Amino acid sequence: MSDRIPLPYTPKVLELFKNPKNLGKMEDANASAVAGSLACGDMIAIYLKIDEDTQTILNATFESYGCAANIAASSILTEMLKNKKLEDAWKISWKDISNELGGLPAVKYHCGVMAVGAFRRAVREYFKNKKKPEWIPEELTAEERHVVEEEKLVEILSKRISSGSLPPTC
């Protein structure tokens, strides 16, 4: 008998975990980014097809290597992004994702944060060699900083595990 306690996922999270929408790599994406690390098990790749003239997201897909909340958060985010202007889509927060899912367990908030962080990273990449609009802040947003911090933490832990100074208990 397992001593793990099941997380209280909402029916929407479970539905999107079992039947994710917009899953898969987009071959004709003109913006994409990855957030997270396979080392900890949570990673999201976001792919966007953006209309260059209108700055509207025509399509959004994802690949996820993570838990039910990670997959559901990525799935609902791609649904929320479609047909939105980039500026409006930029305003989507991890709390919006959680609300759309009917809530996430507190220990899974980071899944919504990572999805938003991946999306914003993709938008920054899209404007890398273009004139960046004023609505994109110079500083990373809280969600973007969280993704960077989580990636650094996993890198540090991986080095410690590899060196034998920390047992592999993840």
Side-chain angles (χ1 to χ4, degrees):
M1 185 169 164
S2 172
D3 60 349
R4 297 181 79 180
I5 299 171
L7 292 172
Y9 287 129
T10 65
K12 183 80 171 183
V13 169
L14 294 174
E15 173 58 28
L16 288 173
F17 169 61
K18 293 175 186 171
N19 302 298
K21 296 179 179 178
N22 312 308
L23 179 62
K25 185 176 182 177
M26 184 189 309
E27 297 300 329
D28 64 341
N30 53 5
S32 64
V34 173
S37 169
L38 281 178
C40 76
D42 279 336
M43 190 175 101
I44 297 170
I46 293 279
Y47 304 94
L48 304 172
K49 181 66 176 178
I50 300 167
D51 182 291
E52 303 266 342
D53 296 328
T54 65
Q55 301 290 293
T56 301
I57 299 170
L58 301 175
N59 195 11
T61 64
F62 75 97
E63 293 177 297
S64 171
Y65 304 97
C67 63
N70 184 301
I71 292 168
S74 301
S75 181
I76 201 74
L77 174 64
T78 56
E79 285 291 295
M80 295 167 72
L81 294 174
K82 288 183 178 178
N83 300 312
K84 273 210 174 2
K85 297 270 190 186
L86 280 173
E87 184 175 3
D88 295 330
W90 182 269
K91 297 172 186 169
I92 295 172
S93 72
W94 71 268
K95 290 179 183 173
D96 297 326
I97 291 173
S98 181
N99 289 340
E100 285 292 316
L101 291 171
L104 284 171
V107 296
K108 295 297 181 179
Y109 287 166
H110 73 279
C111 295
V113 172
M114 187 178 298
V116 171
F119 164 67
R120 290 183 180 167
R121 188 177 276 177
V123 172
R124 286 187 189 275
E125 184 64 28
Y126 176 75
F127 285 108
K128 189 174 183 178
N129 296 318
K130 300 174 180 154
K131 184 176 185 241
K132 190 173 77 175
E134 292 180 12
W135 50 264
I136 296 180
E138 289 297 323
E139 300 291 323
L140 297 180
T141 64
E143 287 93 345
E144 292 173 286
R145 285 192 311 271
H146 178 90
V147 167
V148 170
E149 290 167 5
E150 195 166 300
E151 291 168 344
K152 285 181 182 175
L153 177 62
V154 168
E155 184 179 320
I156 291 168
L157 291 174
S158 294
K159 285 180 183 175
R160 288 184 181 172
I161 290 170
S162 295
S163 70
S165 65
L166 188 68
T169 59
C170 289

